[in-house]
Amino acid sequence: MAPIHKECEYLVIGGGSGGIASARRAAGVYGVKTMVVESNRLGGTCVNVGCVPKKVTWNAAAVAETLKEAGAYGFAVEGHVPFDWPLFKGKRDVYVARLNAIYARNLAADKIEYVHGRAHLLSPTEVEVEVAGDGSGATSAVRIRARRILIATGGHPIIPTNIPGAAEHGITSDGFFALEQQPQRMAVIGAGYIGVEMAGMMAALGTETHLFIRHDRVLRAFDPLVQDTVTAAYERPEAHGGAGIQLYHHSTITRLTAHPTRPGWRQLHYTSSNHGATGVLDVDCVLWAIGRTPEIEDLGLDQAGVARRPPPDKGFIVVDDFQNTNVPNIHALGDVCGRLELTPVAIAAGRRLSDRLFGPAARFAAARLDYANVPSVVFAHPEVGAVGLTEPEARKAYPGPGEITVYQTAFTAMYYAMLPGDSAQKPPSAYKLICAGPDQRVVGLHLVGRASSEILQGFAVAMKMGATKADFDACVAIHPTSAEELVTMK
């Protein structure tokens, strides 16, 4: 069957947060004829297998922690409180499906044509979409000619190809949200934020959790304060205020095999510096969290002449500060570019791109996202928040004698005062301010502890405005809160 031919002014490949944000700004604000192509569910990674279901699961884990602590506040919560994973998963799935429907309605409201299928670039101005069929196996094609094209296809998790059994016996964060039953004993491989979040949630929900990392600390892209505090908290027994996770340092996974006697279980073969030279772990779930790679397979970037980063840099699309590729009418943003892979970053970049391309030039000719001082959080146990430079980055950026001043504190949040034991047996809180120059402008802020994700946003605004240590000091503290520590540090 010959393809159907369509034309538009702006074609967005990728129906995730960034692509939809750009499409809606173009169509809804500037009246641009816009189309969106998405091969999976609308909302992308964040809505379907990322931020949203992850945070819902983290909320469940937080409830589990609260139930364990309730007795210290006088509530009669006796013994083990069971967690109904199938019930929870069903409700989480319904919530995500509702968000998918909202995205579809928003596209329709802005008069954006949505094509459900897989896009392949034929040239810098033409795309062919293999349209998803009705389940009968039949497919059709739509050929779209566009004046401008945005690539916002995101990324997907990596499964190692050099480890026998890795794909057959392991899952990624995508597969995690499809689990129908709660794992009893789970191995998580990876020290980044996804691995740390998954391990923390599962441990809090009662799964025996084993976390394998290549080096000696987790979250190595974050400030040393964060690395040290979270690593120690994860290894500390639950009875002593920790997550109670078995942490395997300097570890290597050598292979995964089916368990010889337990159907559905696996055997994970590993080496580790702190659990014996070699070992075998019986688990019913192995989750790979070793990074992500851009979703560019069969996209046809070469046919359109779009440049990518050379190996070993995963092939991310090369863009400038304005989200322009090397092809004048093709743009790219979000995870497919490999720069600050965060949903709000993609959304902000997408809106600014549409402002610049389609808005009044007098106002938006130089519109672009400022990638400096972007806040980020890790929904670990305890939570992490960070904005700006780490201490090593700051000392490199400001190498002069005395240019960097560091303020930090460690304390126990008041919430835990009612729990038994001393401070060393309770979940930690630790904050760091990094200040630069004679005016002590705050260039880095790092938080570990209860409510860090909520605390960070307002302080990120202050840093974006160029706040100094004196500005922090001049702010009257809110008492009693953990956040007051940030305006009372000496």
Side-chain angles (χ1 to χ4, degrees), residues 11 179 277 321 323 479:
L11 173 62
L179 290 174
D321 288 341
Q323 313 301 150
H479 183 75

Side-chain angles (χ1 to χ4, degrees), residues 132-282:
D134 57 5
S136 64
T139 60
S140 59
V142 175
R143 190 164 291 184
I144 305 168
R145 183 175 294 276
R147 189 169 71 87
R148 292 191 179 275
I149 296 172
L150 170 63
I151 301 171
T153 50
H156 58 77
I158 296 170
I159 292 183
T161 57
N162 62 336
I163 298 175
E168 181 183 358
H169 300 295
I171 62 172
T172 67
S173 53
D174 288 0
F176 172 82
F177 295 107
L179 290 174
E180 296 292 343
Q181 298 294 330
Q182 180 177 354
Q184 298 176 47
R185 183 184 298 148
M186 183 174 188
V188 179
I189 299 124
Y193 77 93
I194 294 175
V196 167
E197 288 179 336
M198 294 294 187
M201 292 187 301
M202 296 309 295
L205 289 170
T207 293
E208 181 185 317
T209 305
H210 300 254
L211 179 59
F212 291 80
I213 63 176
R214 287 189 301 165
H215 299 278
D216 60 342
R217 294 180 294 181
V218 300
L219 301 176
R220 293 191 306 112
F222 287 77
D223 188 84
L225 173 86
V226 172
Q227 298 178 40
D228 293 339
T229 306
V230 175
T231 300
Y234 268 39
E235 288 193 290
R236 191 185 306 161
E238 188 178 350
H240 294 269
I245 293 170
Q246 294 291 317
L247 202 56
Y248 297 71
H249 298 263
H250 300 281
S251 64
T252 300
I253 309 303
T254 57
R255 68 184 188 276
L256 289 175
T257 58
H259 197 285
T261 60
R262 304 180 72 176
W265 281 60
R266 295 96 171 147
Q267 290 192 317
L268 184 148
H269 301 253
Y270 67 87
T271 64
S272 171
S273 65
N274 66 323
H275 282 267
T278 61
V280 179
L281 180 68
D282 294 349

Side-chain angles (χ1 to χ4, degrees), residues 189-469:
I189 299 124
Y193 77 93
I194 294 175
V196 167
E197 288 179 336
M198 294 294 187
M201 292 187 301
M202 296 309 295
L205 289 170
T207 293
E208 181 185 317
T209 305
H210 300 254
L211 179 59
F212 291 80
I213 63 176
R214 287 189 301 165
H215 299 278
D216 60 342
R217 294 180 294 181
V218 300
L219 301 176
R220 293 191 306 112
F222 287 77
D223 188 84
L225 173 86
V226 172
Q227 298 178 40
D228 293 339
T229 306
V230 175
T231 300
Y234 268 39
E235 288 193 290
R236 191 185 306 161
E238 188 178 350
H240 294 269
I245 293 170
Q246 294 291 317
L247 202 56
Y248 297 71
H249 298 263
H250 300 281
S251 64
T252 300
I253 309 303
T254 57
R255 68 184 188 276
L256 289 175
T257 58
H259 197 285
T261 60
R262 304 180 72 176
W265 281 60
R266 295 96 171 147
Q267 290 192 317
L268 184 148
H269 301 253
Y270 67 87
T271 64
S272 171
S273 65
N274 66 323
H275 282 267
T278 61
V280 179
L281 180 68
D282 294 349
V283 294
D284 60 342
C285 183
V286 176
L287 188 145
W288 296 103
I290 58 173
R292 296 176 64 82
T293 193
E295 182 76 22
I296 54 174
E297 295 85 354
D298 72 358
L299 185 56
L301 295 177
D302 292 340
Q303 286 90 323
V306 177
R308 291 173 286 167
R309 296 187 207 166
D313 208 6
K314 299 182 182 179
F316 290 111
I317 294 176
V318 177
V319 292
D320 63 15
D321 288 341
F322 293 87
Q323 313 301 150
N324 299 316
T325 71
N326 62 304
V327 180
N329 66 302
I330 298 181
H331 314 273
L333 56 80
D335 291 5
V336 77
C337 302
R339 185 178 183 186
L340 288 182
E341 298 173 43
L342 300 168
T343 295
V345 168
I347 291 171
R351 289 171 177 164
R352 284 161 178 75
L353 175 63
S354 288
D355 286 337
R356 181 174 65 82
L357 295 179
F358 307 114
R363 182 179 176 188
F364 294 120
R368 66 179 182 87
L369 176 62
D370 179 6
Y371 283 85
N373 288 335
V374 172
S376 64
V377 300
V378 182
F379 288 102
H381 296 260
E383 296 172 56
V384 172
V387 58
L389 303 177
T390 65
E391 185 175 342
E393 290 170 342
R395 294 195 182 279
K396 184 177 180 180
Y398 301 89
E403 281 204 76
I404 293 296
T405 306
V406 175
Y407 302 86
Q408 66 183 68
T409 183
F411 60 97
T412 301
M414 184 178 176
Y415 171 83
Y416 300 110
M418 301 291 285
L419 274 61
D422 58 24
S423 295
Q425 297 174 304
K426 297 176 182 179
S429 293
Y431 293 173
K432 178 186 282 191
L433 282 180
I434 303 167
C435 303
D439 62 346
Q440 295 213 338
R441 183 169 60 90
V442 181
V443 297
L445 188 153
H446 306 276
L447 313 175
V448 180
R450 187 178 178 86
S452 290
S453 59
E454 299 292 347
I455 293 170
L456 182 66
Q457 188 75 76
F459 285 100
V461 173
M463 282 185 58
K464 201 73 175 175
M465 297 173 68
T468 64
K469 180 63 165 63

Side-chain angles (χ1 to χ4, degrees), residues 95-131:
Y95 177 53
V96 169
R98 182 166 70 86
L99 296 180
N100 297 146
I102 290 172
Y103 271 94
R105 288 198 297 271
N106 287 341
L107 291 179
D110 286 330
K111 297 180 173 58
I112 297 169
E113 184 175 352
Y114 165 46
V115 180
H116 185 207
R118 190 81 175 175
H120 315 279
L121 289 159
L122 302 178
S123 74
T125 59
E126 196 169 21
V127 171
E128 184 162 290
V129 182
E130 184 180 338
V131 179

